[in-house]
Coordinates of all heavy atoms in Angstrom, one line a residue:
Chain L
R149 N 0.5 -144.1 204.8 CA -0.8 -144.1 205.3 C -0.7 -144.1 206.8 O 0.0 -144.9 207.4 CB -1.6 -145.4 204.9 CG -2.7 -145.0 204.0 CD -3.4 -146.3 203.4 NE -3.2 -146.2 201.9 CZ -3.6 -147.2 201.1 NH1 -4.1 -148.3 201.6 NH2 -3.4 -147.1 199.8
D150 N -1.3 -143.2 207.5 CA -1.1 -143.0 208.9 C -1.9 -144.0 209.7 O -2.9 -143.6 210.4 CB -1.4 -141.6 209.3 CG -0.7 -141.2 210.6 OD1 0.4 -141.7 210.8 OD2 -1.2 -140.5 211.4
E151 N -1.6 -145.3 209.6 CA -2.2 -146.4 210.3 C -2.2 -146.0 211.8 O -1.1 -145.6 212.4 CB -1.4 -147.7 210.1 CG -1.4 -148.2 208.7 CD -2.6 -149.1 208.4 OE1 -3.4 -149.3 209.4 OE2 -2.7 -149.5 207.3
V152 N -3.3 -146.2 212.5 CA -3.3 -146.0 214.0 C -2.4 -147.1 214.6 O -1.6 -146.8 215.5 CB -4.7 -146.1 214.5 CG1 -4.7 -145.9 216.0 CG2 -5.6 -145.0 213.9
R153 N -2.6 -148.3 214.2 CA -1.8 -149.4 214.8 C -1.1 -150.2 213.8 O -1.5 -151.3 213.4 CB -2.7 -150.3 215.6 CG -3.2 -149.7 216.9 CD -4.2 -150.7 217.6 NE -3.7 -152.0 217.8 CZ -4.4 -153.1 217.8 NH1 -5.7 -153.0 217.7 NH2 -3.8 -154.3 218.0
P154 N 0.1 -149.6 213.3 CA 0.8 -150.4 212.3 C 1.4 -151.6 213.0 O 1.7 -151.6 214.2 CB 2.0 -149.4 212.0 CG 2.1 -148.5 213.1 CD 0.7 -148.4 213.7
R155 N 1.4 -152.7 212.3 CA 2.0 -154.0 212.9 C 2.4 -155.0 211.8 O 2.2 -154.7 210.6 CB 1.0 -154.5 213.9 CG -0.3 -154.8 213.4 CD -1.3 -155.0 214.5 NE -2.6 -154.9 214.0 CZ -3.7 -155.5 214.4 NH1 -3.6 -156.4 215.4 NH2 -4.9 -155.3 213.9
Y156 N 2.9 -156.1 212.3 CA 3.3 -157.2 211.4 C 4.4 -156.7 210.5 O 4.5 -157.2 209.3 CB 2.1 -157.7 210.6 CG 0.9 -158.1 211.4 CD1 -0.4 -157.7 211.0 CD2 1.0 -158.8 212.6 CE1 -1.5 -158.1 211.8 CE2 -0.1 -159.1 213.4 CZ -1.3 -158.8 213.0 OH -2.4 -159.1 213.7
G157 N 5.3 -155.9 210.9 CA 6.5 -155.5 210.1 C 6.0 -154.7 208.9 O 5.1 -153.9 209.0
V158 N 6.7 -155.1 207.8 CA 6.4 -154.3 206.5 C 5.0 -154.8 206.0 O 4.6 -154.2 205.0 CB 7.5 -154.5 205.5 CG1 8.8 -154.0 206.0 CG2 7.6 -155.9 205.0
M159 N 4.4 -155.7 206.6 CA 3.1 -156.2 206.1 C 2.0 -155.1 206.3 O 1.1 -155.0 205.5 CB 2.6 -157.5 206.8 CG 1.5 -158.2 206.2 SD 1.9 -159.0 204.6 CE 2.3 -160.7 205.2
R160 N 2.1 -154.4 207.3 CA 1.2 -153.2 207.5 C 1.9 -152.1 208.1 O 1.7 -151.7 209.3 CB 0.0 -153.7 208.4 CG -1.2 -152.8 208.2 CD -2.3 -153.0 209.1 NE -2.9 -154.4 209.0 CZ -3.7 -154.9 209.9 NH1 -4.1 -154.3 210.9 NH2 -4.1 -156.2 209.7
G161 N 2.9 -151.5 207.4 CA 3.6 -150.4 207.8 C 2.9 -149.1 207.5 O 1.9 -149.1 206.8
R162 N 3.5 -148.0 208.0 CA 2.9 -146.7 207.7 C 3.5 -146.2 206.3 O 2.7 -145.7 205.5 CB 3.3 -145.7 208.8 CG 2.4 -145.9 210.0 CD 2.8 -144.8 211.0 NE 1.8 -144.8 212.1 CZ 2.1 -144.5 213.4 NH1 3.3 -144.2 213.7 NH2 1.2 -144.6 214.3
E163 N 4.8 -146.3 206.1 CA 5.3 -146.0 204.8 C 5.6 -147.3 204.1 O 6.0 -148.3 204.7 CB 6.6 -145.2 205.0 CG 7.1 -144.7 203.7 CD 8.4 -143.8 203.8 OE1 8.4 -142.9 204.6 OE2 9.3 -144.1 203.1
F164 N 5.3 -147.3 202.8 CA 5.5 -148.5 202.0 C 5.7 -148.0 200.5 O 5.5 -146.9 200.2 CB 4.3 -149.4 202.2 CG 3.0 -148.7 202.0 CD1 2.3 -148.7 200.7 CD2 2.4 -148.1 203.0 CE1 1.1 -148.1 200.6 CE2 1.2 -147.4 202.9 CZ 0.5 -147.4 201.6
V165 N 6.0 -149.0 199.7 CA 6.1 -148.7 198.3 C 5.0 -149.4 197.5 O 4.8 -150.6 197.8 CB 7.5 -149.1 197.7 CG1 7.6 -149.0 196.2 CG2 8.6 -148.3 198.4
M166 N 4.4 -148.7 196.6 CA 3.4 -149.4 195.8 C 3.7 -149.1 194.4 O 4.2 -148.1 194.0 CB 2.0 -148.8 196.1 CG 1.2 -149.6 197.1 SD -0.5 -148.9 197.2 CE -1.3 -149.6 195.8
K167 N 3.3 -150.1 193.6 CA 3.1 -149.9 192.1 C 1.7 -149.5 192.0 O 0.8 -150.3 192.4 CB 3.5 -151.2 191.4 CG 3.5 -151.0 189.8 CD 2.1 -150.9 189.2 CE 1.2 -152.0 189.4 NZ -0.2 -151.8 188.8
D168 N 1.4 -148.3 191.5 CA 0.0 -148.0 191.2 C -0.1 -147.6 189.7 O 0.7 -146.7 189.3 CB -0.7 -147.1 192.1 CG 0.1 -145.9 192.6 OD1 1.4 -146.0 192.6 OD2 -0.5 -144.9 193.1
A169 N -1.1 -148.1 189.1 CA -1.3 -147.8 187.6 C -2.7 -147.3 187.5 O -3.6 -147.6 188.3 CB -1.1 -149.1 186.8
Y170 N -2.8 -146.4 186.4 CA -4.1 -145.9 186.1 C -4.3 -145.9 184.6 O -3.4 -145.6 183.9 CB -4.2 -144.4 186.7 CG -3.9 -144.4 188.1 CD1 -2.6 -144.2 188.6 CD2 -4.9 -144.6 189.1 CE1 -2.3 -144.2 190.0 CE2 -4.6 -144.6 190.4 CZ -3.3 -144.4 190.9 OH -3.1 -144.4 192.2
S171 N -5.5 -146.4 184.2 CA -5.8 -146.4 182.8 C -6.8 -145.4 182.4 O -7.7 -145.1 183.3 CB -6.2 -147.8 182.3 OG -7.5 -148.1 182.9
Y172 N -6.8 -144.9 181.2 CA -7.8 -143.9 180.8 C -8.2 -144.4 179.4 O -7.4 -144.7 178.5 CB -7.2 -142.5 180.7 CG -6.7 -142.1 182.1 CD1 -5.5 -142.4 182.5 CD2 -7.6 -141.4 182.9 CE1 -5.1 -142.0 183.8 CE2 -7.2 -141.0 184.2 CZ -6.0 -141.3 184.6 OH -5.6 -141.0 185.9
D173 N -9.5 -144.6 179.3 CA -10.1 -145.3 178.1 C -11.3 -144.5 177.6 O -12.0 -143.9 178.3 CB -10.5 -146.7 178.4 CG -9.3 -147.6 178.8 OD1 -8.7 -148.2 177.9 OD2 -9.0 -147.7 180.0
A174 N -11.5 -144.7 176.3 CA -12.6 -144.0 175.6 C -14.0 -144.7 175.9 O -15.0 -144.0 176.0 CB -12.4 -143.9 174.1
D175 N -14.0 -146.0 176.0 CA -15.3 -146.6 176.2 C -15.1 -147.9 177.1 O -14.0 -148.3 177.4 CB -15.9 -147.0 174.9 CG -15.0 -147.8 174.0 OD1 -14.3 -148.7 174.5 OD2 -15.0 -147.5 172.8
E176 N -16.2 -148.5 177.3 CA -16.3 -149.7 178.2 C -15.4 -150.8 177.7 O -14.8 -151.5 178.4 CB -17.7 -150.2 178.4 CG -18.6 -149.3 179.2 CD -18.4 -149.5 180.7 OE1 -17.6 -150.4 181.1 OE2 -19.0 -148.7 181.5
T177 N -15.5 -151.0 176.4 CA -14.7 -152.1 175.7 C -13.2 -151.9 176.0 O -12.5 -152.8 176.3 CB -15.0 -152.2 174.2 OG1 -16.4 -152.0 174.0 CG2 -14.5 -153.5 173.6
S178 N -12.8 -150.7 175.8 CA -11.4 -150.4 176.0 C -11.0 -150.5 177.4 O -9.9 -151.1 177.8 CB -11.1 -149.0 175.4 OG -9.8 -148.6 175.7
L179 N -11.8 -150.0 178.3 CA -11.6 -150.2 179.8 C -11.5 -151.6 180.1 O -10.6 -152.1 180.9 CB -12.7 -149.5 180.6 CG -12.6 -149.7 182.1 CD1 -11.3 -149.2 182.7 CD2 -13.7 -148.9 182.8
E180 N -12.4 -152.4 179.6 CA -12.4 -153.9 179.9 C -11.1 -154.5 179.5 O -10.5 -155.3 180.2 CB -13.6 -154.5 179.2 CG -13.7 -156.0 179.4 CD -14.0 -156.4 180.8 OE1 -14.5 -155.6 181.6 OE2 -13.6 -157.6 181.2
K181 N -10.5 -154.1 178.3 CA -9.3 -154.6 177.9 C -8.1 -154.2 178.8 O -7.3 -155.0 179.2 CB -9.0 -154.1 176.4 CG -7.7 -154.8 175.9 CD -7.3 -154.3 174.5 CE -6.0 -155.0 174.1 NZ -4.9 -154.8 175.0
S182 N -8.1 -152.9 179.1 CA -7.1 -152.4 180.1 C -7.1 -153.2 181.4 O -6.1 -153.6 181.9 CB -7.3 -150.9 180.4 OG -7.2 -150.1 179.2
Y183 N -8.3 -153.4 181.8 CA -8.5 -154.1 183.1 C -8.1 -155.6 183.0 O -7.4 -156.1 183.9 CB -10.0 -154.0 183.4 CG -10.5 -154.7 184.6 CD1 -10.4 -154.2 185.9 CD2 -11.1 -156.0 184.5 CE1 -10.8 -154.8 187.0 CE2 -11.6 -156.7 185.6 CZ -11.4 -156.1 186.9 OH -11.9 -156.7 188.0
Q184 N -8.4 -156.2 181.9 CA -8.0 -157.6 181.7 C -6.5 -157.7 181.5 O -5.9 -158.7 182.1 CB -8.7 -158.2 180.5 CG -10.2 -158.4 180.7 CD -10.6 -159.3 181.8 OE1 -9.8 -160.1 182.2 NE2 -11.9 -159.3 182.2
D185 N -5.9 -156.8 180.8 CA -4.4 -156.8 180.7 C -3.7 -156.7 182.0 O -2.8 -157.4 182.3 CB -4.0 -155.5 179.8 CG -4.2 -155.8 178.3 OD1 -4.5 -156.9 177.9 OD2 -4.0 -154.8 177.6
M186 N -4.3 -155.8 182.9 CA -3.7 -155.7 184.2 C -3.8 -157.0 185.0 O -2.9 -157.4 185.7 CB -4.4 -154.5 185.0 CG -3.9 -153.2 184.6 SD -2.3 -152.8 185.2 CE -2.0 -151.3 184.3
G187 N -5.0 -157.6 184.9 CA -5.2 -158.8 185.6 C -4.2 -159.9 185.2 O -3.6 -160.6 186.1
R188 N -4.0 -159.9 183.9 CA -3.0 -160.9 183.4 C -1.6 -160.6 183.9 O -0.9 -161.5 184.4 CB -3.0 -161.0 181.9 CG -3.8 -162.1 181.3 CD -3.4 -162.4 179.8 NE -3.3 -161.1 179.1 CZ -4.3 -160.4 178.6 NH1 -5.5 -160.8 178.7 NH2 -4.0 -159.3 177.9
A189 N -1.3 -159.3 183.9 CA 0.1 -158.9 184.3 C 0.2 -159.2 185.8 O 1.3 -159.7 186.2 CB 0.3 -157.4 184.1
Y190 N -0.8 -159.0 186.6 CA -0.7 -159.3 188.0 C -0.5 -160.8 188.3 O 0.2 -161.2 189.1 CB -2.0 -158.8 188.7 CG -2.0 -157.4 189.1 CD1 -1.4 -156.4 188.2 CD2 -2.5 -156.9 190.3 CE1 -1.4 -155.1 188.5 CE2 -2.4 -155.6 190.6 CZ -1.9 -154.7 189.8 OH -1.9 -153.3 190.1
R191 N -1.3 -161.6 187.5 CA -1.1 -163.0 187.7 C 0.3 -163.5 187.4 O 0.9 -164.3 188.0 CB -2.1 -163.8 186.9 CG -3.5 -164.0 187.6 CD -4.5 -164.7 186.8 NE -5.2 -163.8 185.9 CZ -6.3 -163.0 186.3 NH1 -6.7 -163.2 187.6 NH2 -6.9 -162.2 185.5
R192 N 0.9 -162.8 186.3 CA 2.3 -163.1 186.0 C 3.3 -162.7 187.1 O 4.2 -163.4 187.4 CB 2.7 -162.5 184.7 CG 2.1 -163.2 183.5 CD 2.8 -162.8 182.2 NE 2.6 -161.5 181.8 CZ 1.7 -161.1 180.8 NH1 1.1 -162.0 180.1 NH2 1.6 -159.8 180.5

Side-chain angles (χ1 to χ4, degrees):
Chain L
R149 246 172 244 176
D150 204 34
E151 296 272 357
V152 180
R153 285 177 53 207
R155 53 193 163 150
Y156 307 137
V158 300
M159 193 72 95
R160 203 187 299 167
R162 283 184 171 144
E163 186 176 311
F164 49 94
V165 172
M166 263 186 82
K167 186 286 300 175
D168 41 336
Y170 305 90
S171 70
Y172 299 86
D173 294 273
D175 54 39
E176 289 279 357
T177 315
S178 176
L179 173 56
E180 180 63 23
K181 183 181 179 308
S182 299
Y183 177 82
Q184 294 295 344
D185 281 351
M186 281 287 169
R188 260 198 318 281
Y190 276 39
R191 273 178 274 277
R192 286 198 290 257

